[in-house]
Amino acid sequence: MFKMAQRVLAASFRQAGLAKRSFSSSKTTFQKAQAVASSASGSSGSDDIVYGPEHLQLKESLRKIIERDINPHVEEWEQAKNFPAHKVFKLLGDNGFLGVTKPKEYGGLDLDYSYACAVGEELGYINCGGVPMAIGVQTDMATPALAKFGSDYLKREFLAPSISGDAVACLGVSEVGSGSDVASIQTRASRKGDDLIINGGKMWTTNGTQADWMCCLAITSEGAPHRNKSLICLPMKTPGVTVAKKIQKIGMHSSDTAQIFFEDVRVPRSHIIGEEGEGFTYQMIQFQEERIFAAVGALAPIERMIEETIKYTRERKAFGQSVLDNQVVHFTLGELATELEMLRSAVYRTVALYVKGNDVTKMASMCKLKAGRLLREASDKCLQFWGGMGYTDEVLISRLYRDTRLFSIGGGADEVMLSIICKYMRTSPKPTKK
């Protein structure tokens, strides 16, 4: 079966003119990638419920870039607590990986979300959590609303360079007093003629110290909290924008996280994405892809935790036998592998439903909830089997233990996911009438 899959994949590469070599950063190779994308809609099926030969081709090409151009530098970036976002994003953009689902007229491949799922899953093979998270902000958090609802001007000014990797994007939603409770944000953009004057601030801003622009959620009118906000394309070099500090975190060290202040920041009203006052709704739609990305991004790290732990415990001897020979060890790893496959099935089903145009808010919330909790369980149990070595900075499991803890907090905490799920189940208490 594996050899058959190899033959199918090799044939797919030959057809695209990419056999036995990865995507390069040349213009001609990117054009070939676009040609592959054009033929994807007519591809034959596969045994996988989501991935066909073209998905596998995309994954393999990205894996080569990860192994050649990213993983060799991860240790350096982790120590520096920063990675060169412009350099890495340009490499990925030149090879088509930052605009997989975005329109062709702005440089994207215009493929369905299953291809973004394939890319998101493959990013999990980067040897840290910070870099995949930063990439995900660019592709699945800061740009989906712009691609769906933005004007042609905004798409050419902000989306196109984000797809090509010439610009780094960040998302400005969370604030000091408003995390998962998006409706309670206080940043305000007041109208002054044809401009908006923005005052306030944002917190926990991934890519914040390096970003060229922010997809910023701000209050633009009076009224109900779900109808008075807009998403705004905000250039980060605009006078009045201040990166107050780079936040030190217990994990995700390669990724920069910033607190940002706005003081009388002036931007044109034409920088509002879509309809004024629809920002909260657009952000909720945008959250669907963010949460799918998070769940997809959990698959490879969990798989790697299990595989690395199997290798280590098989070689590590204690009391005359390998650690793996203890029933509690191999049974625990078997249970984790089973849970992983259940999560994978749920994620793929959610992606398949999303591709068909369904509202997957409930399913995406379920997947993110399960992904965060399984990451916590797997990293804790696997690290335990590494003993003292697992408590050092010298092995991957300890980094995954630190980095993946964020999955149950960022992008909507577990408790918020449960609130959404219960709302759809109609089991939440009804709000009391005042």
Side-chain angles (χ1 to χ4, degrees), residues 185-213:
I185 67 163
Q186 297 299 308
T187 295
R188 184 174 293 272
S190 303
R191 186 183 304 185
K192 189 170 184 179
D194 291 331
D195 293 335
L196 296 171
I197 308 299
I198 304 174
N199 285 282
K202 296 296 175 181
M203 192 68 169
W204 319 118
T205 309
T206 301
N207 299 341
T209 69
Q210 302 187 70
D212 298 291
W213 71 278

Side-chain angles (χ1 to χ4, degrees), residues 39-348:
S39 66
S41 59
S43 63
S44 59
S46 74
D47 291 336
D48 197 294
I49 62 173
V50 173
Y51 299 149
E54 289 82 8
H55 296 85
L56 299 178
Q57 177 184 330
L58 199 65
K59 283 165 65 72
E60 183 170 321
S61 298
L62 180 54
R63 180 76 69 92
K64 289 179 180 179
I65 290 176
I66 290 170
E67 292 177 350
R68 183 188 66 226
D69 300 307
I70 296 179
N71 276 344
H73 305 289
V74 166
E75 293 298 329
E76 174 189 346
W77 297 341
E78 285 285 295
Q79 292 298 319
K81 293 191 175 181
N82 200 34
F83 83 104
H86 285 88
K87 181 179 179 180
V88 173
F89 284 13
K90 183 58 178 170
L91 173 66
L92 295 171
D94 283 344
N95 290 290
F97 291 110
L98 297 182
V100 173
T101 63
K102 303 301 191 294
K104 286 184 180 179
E105 56 264 41
Y106 304 104
L109 299 181
D110 207 14
L111 296 170
D112 67 55
Y113 195 78
S114 65
Y115 289 87
C117 173
V119 169
E121 185 171 349
E122 203 62 32
L123 290 173
Y125 290 97
I126 295 175
N127 289 337
C128 66
V131 176
M133 179 176 67
I135 297 168
V137 168
Q138 182 95 346
T139 58
D140 289 71
M141 301 177 203
T143 54
L146 175 59
K148 287 184 174 72
F149 306 109
S151 65
D152 177 69
Y153 164 73
L154 290 180
K155 290 176 183 177
R156 295 195 184 281
E157 190 74 15
F158 297 99
L159 181 63
S162 298
I163 291 171
S164 66
D166 292 307
V168 173
C170 65
L171 179 64
V173 175
S174 294
E175 299 179 2
V176 173
S178 306
S180 296
D181 183 8
V182 176
S184 68
I185 67 163
Q186 297 299 308
T187 295
R188 184 174 293 272
S190 303
R191 186 183 304 185
K192 189 170 184 179
D194 291 331
D195 293 335
L196 296 171
I197 308 299
I198 304 174
N199 285 282
K202 296 296 175 181
M203 192 68 169
W204 319 118
T205 309
T206 301
N207 299 341
T209 69
Q210 302 187 70
D212 298 291
W213 71 278
M214 172 189 286
C215 179
C216 178
L217 185 67
I219 297 170
T220 51
S221 65
E222 301 302 324
H226 300 96
R227 306 294 295 178
N228 69 347
K229 299 173 179 63
S230 300
L231 285 175
I232 303 164
C233 292
L234 172 59
M236 291 293 284
K237 292 183 180 179
T238 305
V241 176
T242 302
V243 178
K245 67 175 180 179
K246 181 179 177 181
I247 299 168
Q248 301 301 316
K249 312 181 297 294
I250 65 171
M252 300 290 192
H253 290 159
S254 293
S255 172
D256 61 295
T257 307
Q259 181 178 12
I260 297 169
F261 292 145
F262 309 126
E263 184 177 359
D264 295 332
V265 178
R266 182 184 293 266
V267 296
R269 286 187 62 233
S270 61
H271 280 209
I272 292 177
I273 296 173
E275 297 292 326
E276 184 173 343
E278 293 296 319
F280 183 88
T281 299
Y282 294 161
Q283 187 55 47
M284 293 304 104
I285 294 172
Q286 200 160 241
F287 275 151
Q288 288 192 76
E289 292 190 9
E290 177 177 349
R291 288 162 184 167
I292 295 172
F293 179 87
V296 166
L299 300 177
I302 297 170
E303 185 176 283
R304 298 181 77 189
M305 291 174 193
I306 296 169
E307 290 178 350
E308 291 295 313
T309 302
I310 290 172
K311 291 177 185 177
Y312 180 76
T313 56
R314 177 173 280 128
E315 295 174 359
R316 182 78 168 89
K317 306 297 183 192
F319 304 107
Q321 63 178 356
S322 73
V323 173
L324 184 62
D325 285 344
N326 291 278
Q327 188 181 79
V328 67
V329 176
H330 57 253
F331 271 21
T332 297
L333 295 172
E335 288 177 350
L336 291 174
T338 302
E339 291 291 319
L340 170 60
E341 292 311 312
M342 296 301 100
L343 173 62
R344 192 191 309 275
S345 295
V347 171
Y348 287 178

Side-chain angles (χ1 to χ4, degrees), residues 6-19 36 53-54 57:
Q6 284 184 314
R7 288 197 295 271
V8 171
L9 186 57
S12 179
F13 265 88
R14 286 194 297 272
Q15 183 179 5
L18 298 172
V36 172
E54 289 82 8
Q57 177 184 330

